[in-house]
Amino acid sequence: MTPSEHRFMTFVALREPATISPDRLVEAIRERTPALAPHMNVISAGADTSESFIIQAGPLAVTIISVPQPVPKGTFDQAVELARTWPDAGKALARHRAHIIIGSLRPVTDHAGAVAQARVVSLITAAVCALTPAIGVYWSSGQVVTETGAFQEEVTTKDFPFETWISFRWLDGPRTSKGERTLAVITNGLLPFVGREIEFQPVPLSPAEIALRVLGTIHVLLAKGPVLKDGDTVGISPAEHIRVRHANHGQRRGVPVLALSVEQIAGSPEK
């Protein structure tokens, strides 16, 4: 399955209403990302260009809309619940009084297009943050909220800033026969890139150990596309076997998944 009909969109939460000059934003993007400079220009603007305009970045058109009110109630709730690296996200975002929406106008149709589009939307969003009284960024497809400084750092220093694109939901699994606690994790936001989300099946490992394996798998998928076939194995070493299974859905109806099940963990004896 390939990604289809997905568009990337961010909401920049502001301490107070603010508008941006289209030309100033393009200038800021060119300063921050010289590689985009030859391909960046303003192609459309509304009656009030400080409130709504469109930027062309190569083949991608991105709209920027300034809204002098808070986002609709509940918009950030799930992302705040899932936030792990920004513990004060709820309190911080509750203080926002306005927001700016940045969104791609063309749906993605394949992995390469999704990665390119996500990068451009991220870079434009980072530039918007630098020019406004921004509190944080909400990445809608992944239900992720990221503090402004952390977002700018991630998207300008990493090829795949997937911690600003993809969220984790942690679930308790059944106890093992020895009474050990097990944990599972499901991703949200990977679907537009490879047509599936990850569901890491319950295992008696620590959150850090599980996250290491899930993040490694995400990196492979973002770098290479939907290359993991049904029945493949992944792991952090040749000795580790985590089986990959394709399923039409897992915890969420209608969401295709890569179900990852630990069969042999690194450093443990062969079964």
Side-chain angles (χ1 to χ4, degrees), residues 20 26 46 107 112 128 134 147 155 157 163 167 210 217 230 232 259:
I20 305 172
V26 169
V128 168
E147 186 272 330
V155 304
T157 61
E163 292 187 22
S167 61
I210 295 172
T217 304
D230 186 67
D232 282 353

Side-chain angles (χ1 to χ4, degrees), residues 84-95:
R84 294 292 179 267
T85 58
W86 189 14
D88 297 327
K91 291 181 180 178
L93 292 170
R95 295 194 290 270

Side-chain angles (χ1 to χ4, degrees), residues 116-137:
Q117 187 177 123
R119 282 174 169 163
V120 169
V121 171
S122 295
L123 291 167
I124 293 175
T125 299
V128 168
C129 289
L131 298 174
T132 60
I135 298 171
V137 174

Side-chain angles (χ1 to χ4, degrees), residues 95-241:
R95 295 194 290 270
H96 88 283
R97 295 294 175 265
H99 65 287
I100 295 177
I101 304 169
I102 299 100
S104 57
L105 296 179
R106 192 171 88 182
V108 301
T109 57
D110 58 27
H111 164 260
V115 171
Q117 187 177 123
R119 282 174 169 163
V120 169
V121 171
S122 295
L123 291 167
I124 293 175
T125 299
V128 168
C129 289
L131 298 174
T132 60
I135 298 171
V137 174
Y138 168 67
W139 187 270
S140 64
S141 62
Q143 294 286 303
V144 185
V145 286
T146 309
E147 186 272 330
T148 301
F151 185 89
Q152 292 173 295
E153 176 72 14
E154 287 285 310
V155 304
T156 55
T157 61
K158 295 182 179 179
D159 288 336
F160 305 111
F162 49 77
E163 292 187 22
T164 69
W165 297 344
I166 298 166
S167 61
F168 285 9
R169 180 176 290 279
W170 294 88
L171 304 171
D172 280 312
R175 295 272 174 174
T176 69
S177 59
K178 297 179 181 180
E180 300 169 298
R181 180 191 184 192
T182 66
L183 289 172
V185 66
I186 61 179
T187 65
N188 194 38
L190 187 60
L191 184 68
F193 297 99
V194 294
R196 295 179 183 273
E197 297 290 352
I198 287 173
E199 293 197 359
F200 198 96
Q201 303 303 300
V203 67
L205 297 175
S206 70
E209 291 173 310
I210 295 172
L212 176 65
R213 288 155 174 85
V214 176
L215 290 172
T217 304
I218 290 172
H219 191 277
V220 169
L221 293 170
L222 291 179
K224 299 182 179 180
V227 295
L228 296 180
K229 298 178 176 62
D230 186 67
D232 282 353
T233 59
V234 296
I236 61 172
S237 77
E240 182 165 284
H241 296 161

